[in-house]
């Protein structure tokens, strides 16, 4: 008989915090070690520092060793981890102090990954204090066994990759084969075995991805983890292939290290989540009606908010051309726009997952795929996360790291700061949240130039101040809808009159900012003349709306402000190309 869940004690909470710290410390050590091997740079910390994870783990489990709510196998595993971790600093010291054979780094990587897995299992236990028989694991389905097998391939790929990283120059200098299929050099066999493991693991990850999307539609976190692991494993293999084929450098080494640590952590969490025996029966999942293929494609497209994506891509392209003062290389344009589209679309899909209950109360959003039940919430979350991951790696590998990091910042800004924090808590949600939509011009500028300047910052500020009057015009029309949804938009909290005044004030500031492009060297007379005419046109609409409210005028302000931003960036591009 299952025991009732007990409230966590201070010791439980402290142990959980310490174990999370141990997991982070081990991940950091693994990442830095991989980076130092790939980039060929000295280890940036003393050999004993990886023992920090062991210290934190010992502090977490030893005080309550006899009473901790863990099965015997987990307590025994943690005891072995404490012993194994002590030898990891010795292994690193041997490698980096005496430059002995690469096996020491491979041994460290293997033991550290296994310790990391046990620590994550401990965290899973500590999250559920007071439960009898905590963390029972069972893998009796094809999908669960496949997940377990993929984790095994990830482990072997990372461990063998540590050996390969330190012996690539002397043992294998070609891709995809080293010295031929029947090579006589022992070191080359290790490289070929590593590459074979990555290839087979990748195929298994694709199978896991396919099976997960067929069977896990009622489990958001499982489906999301399956999607993330499959994409990260593929990205890890691609980065390794690029490095082996000559694309060296600290950026690729860093991406390889971070991706490897991430795919291992997520694959372990996925294994624990899939194999865990739930102490309480899960509620029956909502039945998602099957729809035809084209309808599903339309629904997934709707998740991305394609109209917004197109406008963001226009500002991205405008930023690229303005930064380069010419038309960039077509490869840069294609990869940047593809990455930008995936980032914006993925963020929109995650936003719809977060807002699905609010959307159900609003007439304007009541026909969205999640609200209408045509897609499962798990599909929307996994789809959004998958697109965001693809966007980051496309930009990082085929454009530059700065553009990728800016795009990632925009995704975090929109999903976390705006969707989760600001949207439902403050009347300034659109004002502060507007920073997310202002990042695409910076991505375009960074893609074309590899840097950010004051002129690029002006593009960010222009889009930032454009956002409130644009969305407040829509909020005037949909005020009752937002009130039903519990969203504190400006018309709901401060009324229609104050909203119209704020729209005019922000429009005046926006137009003034657009005219600063000439003084800061962003554009010339073509843009300045056009921006002045466009600004007077938009001010005229905002002024009429301020004098007298009608839904028709508010709708005109909403629609025409979108066209205003599009025309503004077209002018910017034309000025850069012609001027």
């Amino acid at each position: 008989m299952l025991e009732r869940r007990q409230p966590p004690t201070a010791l439980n909470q402290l142990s959980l915090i310490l174990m999370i710290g141990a997991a982070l410390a081990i991940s950091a050590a693994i990442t830095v070690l991989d980076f130092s091997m790939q980039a060929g740079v000295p280890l940036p910390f003393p050999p004993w520092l990886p023992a920090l994870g062991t210290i934190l783990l010992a502090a977490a489990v030893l005080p309550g060793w006899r009473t901790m709510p863990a099965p015997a196998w987990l307590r025994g595993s943690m005891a072995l981890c404490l012993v194994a971790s002590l030898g990891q600093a010795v292994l690193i010291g041997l490698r980096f102090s005496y430059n002995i054979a690469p096996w020491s780094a491979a041994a460290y990587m293997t033991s550290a990954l296994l310790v990391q897995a046990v620590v994550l299992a401990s965290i899973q236990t500590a999250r559920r204090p007071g439960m009898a028989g905590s963390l029972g694991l069972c893998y009796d389905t094809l999908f669960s066994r496949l997940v377990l097998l993929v984790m095994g391939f990830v482990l072997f790929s990372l461990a063998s990759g540590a050996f390969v990283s330190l012996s690539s120059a002397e043992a294998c200098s070609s891709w995809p084969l080293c010295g031929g299929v029947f090579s006589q050099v022992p070191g080359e066999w290790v490289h070929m075995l590593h590459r074979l493991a990555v290839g087979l693991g990748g195929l298994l990850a694709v199978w896991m991805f396919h099976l997960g999307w067929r069977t896990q539609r009622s489990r958001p976190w499982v489906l999301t983890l399956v999607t993330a692991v499959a994409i990260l494993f593929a990205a890890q293999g691609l980065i390794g292939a690029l490095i082996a084929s000559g694309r060296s450098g600290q950026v690729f080494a860093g991406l390889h290290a971070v991706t490897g640590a991430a795919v291992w952590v997520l694959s372990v969490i996925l294994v624990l989540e899939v194999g865990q025996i739930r102490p309480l029966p899960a509620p029956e999942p909502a039945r998602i009606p099957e729809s035809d293929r084209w309808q599903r494609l339309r629904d997934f497209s709707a998740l991305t908010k394609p109209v917004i994506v197109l406008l963001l891509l226009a500002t991205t392209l405008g930023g690229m051309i303005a930064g380069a003062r010419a038309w960039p290389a077509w490869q840069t344009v294609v990869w940047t726009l593809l990455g930008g589209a995936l980032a914006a679309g993925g963020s929109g899909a995650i936003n719809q997952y977060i807002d699905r209950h609010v959307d159900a109360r609003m007439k304007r959003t009541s026909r969205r795929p999640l609200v209408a039940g045509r897609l499962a919430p798990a599909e929307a979350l996994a789809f959004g996360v998958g697109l965001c991951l693809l966007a980051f790696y496309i930009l990082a590998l085929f454009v530059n790291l700065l553009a990728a990091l800016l795009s990632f910042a925009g995704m975090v800004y929109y999903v976390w700061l705006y969707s989760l924090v600001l949207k439902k808590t403050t009347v300034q949600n659109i004002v502060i949240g507007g920073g997310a939509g202002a990042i695409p011009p910076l991505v375009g500028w960074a893609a074309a130039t590899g840097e950010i300047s004051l002129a690029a910052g002006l593009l960010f500020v222009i889009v930032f101040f454009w956002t409130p009057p644009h969305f407040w015009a829509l909020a005037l029309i949909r005020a009752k809808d937002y009130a039903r949804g519990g969203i504190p938009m400006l018309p709901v909290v401060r009324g229609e009159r104050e909203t119209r005044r704020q729209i005019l004030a922000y429009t005046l500031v926006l137009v003034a900012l657009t005219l600063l492009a000439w003084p800061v060297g962003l554009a010339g007379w073509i843009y300045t003349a056009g921006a002045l005419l466009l600004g007077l046109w938009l001010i005229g609409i905002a002024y009429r709306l301020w004098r007298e409210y009608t839904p028709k005028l508010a709708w005109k302000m909403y629609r025409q402000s979108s066209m205003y931003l599009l025309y503004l960036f077209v002018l910017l591009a034309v000025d850069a190309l012609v001027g």
Side-chain angles (χ1 to χ4, degrees):
M1 186 175 182
L2 297 177
E3 297 179 5
R4 182 175 298 177
R5 184 185 295 270
Q6 301 295 326
T9 65
L11 181 59
N12 295 143
Q13 294 175 342
L14 179 60
S15 296
L16 179 59
I17 293 172
L18 290 172
M19 282 189 282
I20 292 174
L24 293 174
I26 296 170
S27 293
I30 293 172
T31 302
V32 174
L33 175 63
D34 191 358
F35 172 75
S36 66
M37 291 187 297
Q38 290 286 346
V41 299
L43 202 64
F45 51 66
W48 55 264
L49 194 58
L52 177 62
T54 306
I55 296 171
L56 292 173
L57 181 60
V61 301
L62 290 179
W65 185 268
R66 294 181 177 275
T67 59
M68 63 181 299
W73 69 265
L74 186 54
R75 283 200 297 269
S77 298
M78 283 189 287
L80 291 175
C81 286
L82 293 175
V83 175
S85 297
L86 295 176
Q88 291 173 4
V90 176
L91 290 171
I92 291 184
L94 289 173
R95 171 60 200 170
F96 288 94
S97 299
Y98 300 100
N99 198 32
I100 64 172
W103 66 261
S104 60
Y108 168 79
M109 184 67 74
T110 304
S111 62
L113 292 172
L114 292 175
V115 170
Q116 176 80 306
V118 176
V119 173
L120 292 172
S122 304
I123 293 173
Q124 187 80 341
T125 300
R127 286 175 52 241
R128 298 164 50 216
M131 279 292 186
S134 59
L135 204 64
L137 298 176
C138 179
Y139 301 95
D140 57 355
T141 65
L142 174 62
F143 174 72
S144 62
R145 291 167 183 166
L146 187 58
V147 167
L148 199 60
L149 189 59
V150 168
M151 188 190 76
F153 270 88
V154 172
L155 173 64
F156 182 81
S157 299
L158 294 177
S160 60
F163 182 95
V164 166
S165 297
L166 294 176
S167 59
S168 56
E170 58 197 46
C172 184
S173 57
S174 60
W175 173 266
L177 301 178
C178 294
V181 178
F182 302 103
S183 173
Q184 301 300 314
V185 181
E188 292 183 358
W189 282 103
V190 179
H191 286 254
M192 293 305 301
L193 190 61
H194 169 70
R195 294 173 185 180
L196 181 62
V198 173
L200 291 177
L203 292 176
L204 289 172
V206 171
W207 186 14
M208 177 188 71
F209 176 84
H210 172 71
L211 197 58
W213 274 82
R214 291 187 58 187
T215 63
Q216 304 298 312
R217 295 168 62 191
S218 63
R219 303 176 72 181
W221 296 115
V222 169
L223 190 59
T224 302
L225 286 169
V226 165
T227 303
V229 168
I231 292 174
L232 288 172
F233 194 87
Q236 179 77 345
L238 176 60
I239 297 168
L242 291 173
I243 292 174
S245 59
R247 296 285 293 274
S248 59
Q250 293 192 0
V251 170
F252 280 86
L255 286 173
H256 190 273
V258 172
T259 305
V263 72
W264 172 249
V265 169
L266 293 183
S267 63
V268 171
I269 294 174
L270 176 61
V271 164
L272 293 172
E273 187 70 21
V274 169
Q276 185 176 343
I277 302 174
R278 301 291 179 182
L280 297 174
E284 188 69 23
R287 187 174 182 82
I288 306 297
E290 294 291 340
S291 55
D292 63 86
R293 181 178 302 176
W294 292 111
Q295 180 60 51
R296 282 180 64 80
L297 287 176
R298 288 193 294 269
D299 287 334
F300 278 111
S301 176
L303 287 178
T304 65
K305 303 180 179 179
V307 176
I308 296 177
V309 170
L310 290 175
L311 185 58
L312 294 177
L313 291 182
T315 64
T316 303
L317 183 59
M320 293 180 69
I321 298 173
R325 302 302 297 173
W327 188 268
W330 69 267
Q331 298 97 327
T332 303
V333 173
V334 169
W335 288 120
T336 303
L337 294 184
L338 177 59
L342 293 174
S347 300
I350 299 174
N351 171 263
Q352 289 199 42
Y353 170 80
I354 294 170
D355 286 347
R356 64 192 186 279
H357 301 302
V358 174
D359 288 344
R361 300 196 296 266
M362 299 174 60
K363 182 178 179 180
R364 182 175 68 91
T365 55
S366 61
R367 297 180 61 83
R368 285 179 171 175
L370 295 184
V371 180
R374 297 190 302 272
L375 292 177
E379 292 177 309
L381 181 60
F383 178 67
V385 170
L387 292 186
C388 289
L389 287 174
L390 288 173
F392 176 80
Y393 282 103
I394 285 174
L395 292 172
L397 296 178
F398 302 111
V399 183
N400 59 57
L401 184 59
L402 178 59
L405 292 175
L406 286 169
S407 177
F408 180 76
M411 290 183 279
V412 173
Y413 197 140
Y414 183 71
V415 170
W416 181 77
L417 185 61
Y418 173 69
S419 299
L420 288 174
V421 178
L422 296 173
K423 186 173 182 178
K424 304 176 185 68
T425 58
T426 174
V427 71
Q428 297 296 317
N429 47 19
I430 285 298
V431 177
I432 306 173
I439 289 179
L442 298 183
V443 174
W445 189 287
T449 67
E451 61 183 14
I452 293 297
S453 65
L454 176 63
L458 180 60
L459 293 181
F460 175 90
V461 174
I462 287 172
V463 180
F464 184 89
F465 276 87
W466 167 85
T467 304
H470 172 70
F471 280 101
W472 282 337
L474 176 65
L476 282 172
I477 306 169
R478 304 294 187 184
K480 293 182 180 178
D481 230 7
Y482 283 116
R484 282 194 296 268
I487 300 176
M489 295 294 285
L490 189 63
V492 176
V493 177
R494 298 184 182 174
E496 172 196 301
R497 185 178 182 85
E498 175 62 17
T499 303
R500 289 186 283 133
R501 188 187 71 82
Q502 294 269 18
I503 288 175
L504 178 59
Y506 270 87
T507 302
L508 291 171
V509 174
L510 168 65
V511 173
L513 289 169
T514 63
L515 299 179
L516 293 177
W518 195 346
V520 302
L522 177 61
W525 69 268
I526 296 176
Y527 164 84
T528 304
L532 179 59
L533 293 175
L534 285 173
L536 293 174
W537 170 56
L538 191 65
I539 289 172
I541 300 174
Y543 178 76
R544 291 170 58 195
L545 182 61
W546 172 65
R547 290 292 301 273
E548 180 185 4
Y549 170 73
T550 65
K552 183 177 180 180
L553 273 176
W555 185 251
K556 184 177 182 179
M557 180 67 188
Y558 174 70
R559 296 294 297 271
Q560 296 304 322
S561 59
S562 294
M563 301 308 299
Y564 166 83
L565 189 66
L566 175 62
Y567 294 152
L568 195 70
F569 274 82
V570 169
L571 279 171
L572 192 65
V574 171
D575 186 276
L577 294 173
V578 177

